[in-house]
Structure formats: C-alpha cells, structure tokens
Amino acid sequence: MNKTININLANTFFHIDEDAYIKLQRYLDAIKRSFTDSQGKAEIIADIEARIAELFSERLQHERQVITSKEVDEIITIMGQPEDYLVDEEIFDDAPKSHKSTSAKSHKQLFRDIDRKYIGGVCAGLSYYLGIDVLWVRLLFILVTVLSSGFGIFIYILFWILVPEAATTAQKIAMTGEPVNISNIEKKIREGFDDVTEKVKSVDYDKMGASVKKNSKSFFDSLVSVLMFLLKVLAKFIGIIVLIVAAIVLISLFVGLFTAGTIDIWGAQPWREFIDITVNAPVWLISLLTFFAVGIPFFFLFYLGLKILLNNLNSIGNFAKFTLLGVWLLSIIGLISLGIKTATDYSFNALSTETESIAHSPLDTLEIRTVEAIGLKNRYYRDSDFDIVINDGEKMIYREDMEFRVEQSPDEEIRIEIEKKSQGRNYDDAFERADDIEYSYKLENNVLYLNNYLTTDYKNKFRDQEIEITIYIPENAIVRFHNSTYYNIDGHIKNNMNYYSSGLANHVWKMDNLGVLNCLDCPVEDWNDENDAANKEADTLQKTDSIVKDSVKIDSVTLKNQ
C-alpha cells in the first residue's frame, strides 16, 4: 500500500505516489540549484515545471490516475539530468565543453507564432513548420486569396481557430523542432533578455547537452519500427490527398456561392437562369443550401486531413460539431423539400382550348404557312427546351413547340382549334399556366399564317408549355402545305399517299368524305414505284422458295440412291 499526495504543478492538479513525489521533488530541487546565479531563473523554473506538467497530462488516461515513479523516470529521461545542463560562466571564456544529452532532435509541431505575428501568427508559425521564410508564406496566402476570390481569408481564419498559439516557452521550442528539455528552455528564455551578452548567445547548447543513448534492438523490433514508419508515411500521404481534395471542393463551393450564387460579378450565369425558370425558389437559397449540404462534409474531411498531418491540432469542440451537423441536416431537408416541391410543380397536366371560325371560302385553296418570331431574335438565354427573350423590356419565355394537323369539318365552315397545354402543382395551377400562353395566327389572301412559337410571361416559369392546333376543313376543300410547315406537321394526318409528317409539305391536298387527304400533285410514279418494289419482293421470295424446295427434292433423291 502506497501513500498518495495531491500536488499543484504549474496550476495543474495531479495525484502522485509518495515515492514518485520524493523523486520529482529532488529532481526539481537539483534543477533549481543548477540555476542559482542564472539570470531569468524564475522564468526558467516556471517553464520547466509547465513542460513537466504537460508531459504528465499526456500520460494520464483519466483525472483520478496516480502518477508513479515510472512516469517520473520517463519525464526525467525526456527533460535530462540537471547536471548535464549546468552552465558555468567560466565556460564562456574558453571553448564550450561537450555534455551528454538524453534527448534527441524532436519533430516540429505547428503553432501560431505570436512573437512575429501581423494578424494571428499563422504565416509565422507555418514558416517554422515548412522550413521556409515567412515572407514567402505571406505572399502565398495573398496569391491564394486573389485567385480564389477570397477563399485564402477563409483558410487563414480556419488555421487561426484550429492551430494553437505558442504561448509557453516549451511550445515555442517545439515549434522550431528542437527537443523541449532543460537546455533549450533555458536557452529560449535567456534569448529574451536584452542584457544577455553575445558570448552567452553564441554558446551551442545542443552540443553541451548532446547525450546519445543507444538502445539495442532485436531484428523484429527493427522490422516493427520500419513497418510503423511506412504506415505513418502512408497515413500522411492519405492525409495530404484528403486535404487537397477537400480544399479544392471547398474553394469551388466558396467561389460558386459568392460569385455566381448571390452576386452577378461575372454577369448573368445561364445555370442561374435555368434554375430560376424551372425551380420555384430563389437562386441564393438553393446556392446556400447546396453550399452547406456539400461543404460541411468536405469541411470535416479537410479537418481530418489536417488532423492526420498535425498531431497538436486543436479540436473544434462538441458545440461546433453538433452545430455544423444541425446545419447540414437542415440543408439536406431543405434541398429534399425543394426537390419534392419542384417535382410536384410538374405533376398535373391541363389544357386550355380556343376554337374560332375562319372566314374563308371552301372553294378557294387554303395555303398553310408557319412564321418565325421577327422581333424576338435577341435571346437573353438559350436552352434546348426554351429560351428567354426580352420584349419591350420585359422577360418572356419563348418556345418553338407547335404542331398542327388537318381533319374533316362536320359542316361547311373552316375552323381552327388551339390547344394550350401546361403542367402545374395541381389542376387549377396547370390550367392557369396553360391559359396564360400567348399565341397568335392570321388569315390573309387565302393564306393561314401560324406562329411556329409560343410565349408566356417569365413569372409563369417553365412548365413544359406547348401548343397543338387542329384545322377543320369541309369535304372537297383544298389545302396546300407550304415548305415552311416542314417541321410542324403532325405525323398522324390521314392521306392516300401514306406520307408521314414532313412528307405532306409542298403538296396540294383535297379532303374526301372519309376524312382522308388526297394528293393532287404527287408524282404517280411514287405509288407505282412502291407497287413495283412490293411485286419484286414477292417474286424474289417466290423464287427463293422454289429453289429451296428443289434443293430438298434433290437431297431426297440423293439419299434414296445411297
């Protein structure tokens, strides 16, 4: 049974075994004696105690764990024996003597250098970690900020939040990559005094404290060490890949949000017009929800990459984690809701029908032509389904989606029936959008001019609006399809030539009593050529069948003879 003691070391509370306490007390007393006449003794002792407290904290798995002699021995091994670093003023008069050290060169740790900071010390800290001049790091941040439309500022703030500052002497030493021991702590503090002589500054404390202890390792220990090293290298490589990919995605989202999503810095963006005209939601809201829905997971990937590369990275905290998770869930729910709402806007179909009589004599040939938009050539936006045009300063949806067909009239009048079709979230909404479609035609000198396009107000959005026209002509009426109707003729018009759609163009047709159009100017050889082709095909099949039968007979005779 061992007695435990509660101690306060550098304002940190520890439970320590009595034997360990005695050993630690003797160690600290020896350190104090070694710096009896040293300038800055109090600061040196305080930083050494802070470093020891930090090492103890790293080794504790929970707050009630008791520090034993084993932990104290480990700390002494890292920090070094006080007699190894005892500095005598007489040494400075001659060549510095070599002393043994128990610590080897340690790895650099990333901290913010507040001593050389302009803003937060991020660039100064990175210059130590990367081993390059701080000026180049600052220029790199400026370059990234300019090329990424301000994303460099976001990266800088992120490092400012996540990377701790080098507040203690031990952290400042770890930032440079030097081992945090008594020698370097003393050296760092001495450098901070203005009255330290150049002689003291020139002392090579690394050589004075160099004490290399070689530990024998077995073959298997060496193999394990090599494997662990390779795994660490692989982990660092994966961390770099994750960091780069996440950074590229975040930069893209950042640029998309603050240049195209909310501000027209680069002018009107076609994809913005497409979203605005097809989705019933503001573009800035969709951009913001997309930024959070995609950006937050990649932010955590970015943080994971930093965590793999930097061991001393600050945690963002549970509050920030749960806040980001909540924002991400709300963004996902928002995008799903918008998707459902947009799909609902296309769920119902409705049509608005207008029928008018045409003042035209059935004895005269009626010519049908289609006309293009003359005053709407300058398109604000072009798409495969619709365009956006400016008419008298107002935005309009423009679409070339019109088909017409010809059927027999039940009486002696010529009529035109216009069906306007649209989709909507319900029947009333779809009918209202269909009714708002603007379409016109005119009859002039026995020529019926049909617009090959439709228009509707921009606020109606694009909901697959289209026009279908039916022209009713009486029996024996003659109609001619002009060449301009080539792409607008319906493919189901009954005719005696079995022409399909565009084939009816550039011909004159007469309506019979069965509702079938009979061609008056189609070449007769067309019909004869079709009959000849059919007859030739029948003759070929008949000859082939005869040859096959004869072959079978020959084979039968051959078999009998055998």
Side-chain angles (χ1 to χ4, degrees), residues 286-355:
I286 300 173
S287 300
L288 191 63
L289 292 177
T290 304
F291 178 79
F292 286 127
V294 180
I296 289 177
F298 278 93
F299 168 77
F300 279 106
L301 281 177
F302 183 83
Y303 176 75
L304 177 61
L306 285 177
K307 198 75 174 176
I308 293 174
L309 295 175
L310 307 174
N311 297 328
N312 63 322
L313 195 66
N314 280 350
S315 174
I316 61 176
N318 291 331
F319 176 78
K321 290 178 182 177
F322 287 114
T323 300
L324 290 175
L325 178 62
V327 172
W328 181 76
L329 289 175
L330 290 176
S331 302
I332 293 296
I333 293 172
L335 289 176
I336 292 175
S337 300
L338 287 177
I340 295 174
K341 186 176 182 298
T342 302
T344 304
D345 285 345
Y346 292 84
S347 57
F348 285 85
N349 294 278
L351 59 88
S352 174
T353 305
E354 299 175 3
T355 304

Side-chain angles (χ1 to χ4, degrees), residues 275-289:
I275 292 177
D276 187 53
I277 204 72
T278 56
V279 181
N280 196 12
V283 176
W284 67 265
L285 178 60
I286 300 173
S287 300
L288 191 63
L289 292 177

Side-chain angles (χ1 to χ4, degrees), residues 61-200:
Q61 298 179 355
H62 54 82
E63 61 181 7
R64 298 184 64 85
Q65 183 176 342
V66 177
I67 297 173
T68 63
S69 297
K70 178 183 177 182
E71 284 79 18
V72 174
D73 290 336
E74 291 178 358
I75 301 307
I76 294 175
T77 301
I78 294 173
M79 297 298 294
Q81 295 293 338
E83 58 269 16
D84 292 336
Y85 303 99
L86 183 59
V87 180
D88 191 346
E89 296 298 330
E90 295 178 356
I91 296 176
F92 305 134
D93 296 332
D94 302 313
K97 297 180 181 179
S98 178
H99 296 278
K100 294 183 179 181
S101 175
T102 57
S103 57
K105 188 88 169 178
S106 63
H107 295 287
K108 292 181 182 179
Q109 295 184 18
L110 182 60
F111 289 96
R112 290 186 290 111
D113 186 4
I114 57 176
D115 294 331
R116 299 189 299 162
K117 70 176 183 179
Y118 276 160
I119 302 176
V122 173
C123 294
L126 284 172
S127 69
Y128 275 123
Y129 191 78
L130 299 176
I132 58 179
D133 191 85
V134 65
L135 177 62
W136 295 111
V137 181
R138 287 171 178 150
L139 290 176
L140 180 61
F141 263 103
I142 294 173
L143 184 64
V144 171
T145 301
V146 172
L147 296 180
S148 63
S149 302
F151 187 74
I153 298 175
F154 173 75
I155 294 292
Y156 189 92
I157 294 173
L158 194 63
F159 272 95
W160 197 349
I161 295 173
L162 297 178
V163 178
E165 68 177 30
T168 66
T169 304
Q171 291 172 339
K172 292 176 182 179
I173 295 173
M175 180 173 61
T176 64
E178 298 294 332
V180 184
N181 51 34
I182 299 174
S183 174
N184 289 323
I185 290 175
E186 179 194 4
K187 178 183 176 182
K188 190 68 178 177
I189 293 177
R190 283 179 179 275
E191 288 175 351
F193 289 92
D194 294 331
D195 57 344
V196 176
T197 62
E198 293 298 327
K199 219 171 199 182
V200 175

Side-chain angles (χ1 to χ4, degrees), residues 496-511:
N496 66 327
M497 300 299 293
N498 290 325
Y499 285 167
Y500 180 81
S501 187
S502 58
L504 283 78
N506 295 318
H507 292 297
V508 180
W509 304 84
K510 183 177 181 180
M511 180 66 71

Side-chain angles (χ1 to χ4, degrees), residues 478-496:
I478 298 175
V479 61
R480 181 181 185 277
F481 300 123
H482 187 263
N483 183 56
S484 60
T485 63
Y486 190 88
Y487 296 104
N488 301 102
I489 303 175
D490 185 89
H492 300 88
I493 297 178
K494 297 178 182 179
N495 63 91
N496 66 327

Side-chain angles (χ1 to χ4, degrees), residues 212-228:
V212 180
K213 294 184 178 179
K214 296 182 180 180
N215 298 319
S216 59
K217 290 185 178 180
S218 65
F219 172 77
F220 294 102
D221 290 337
S222 301
L223 183 61
V224 170
S225 298
V226 171
L227 290 176
M228 292 301 296

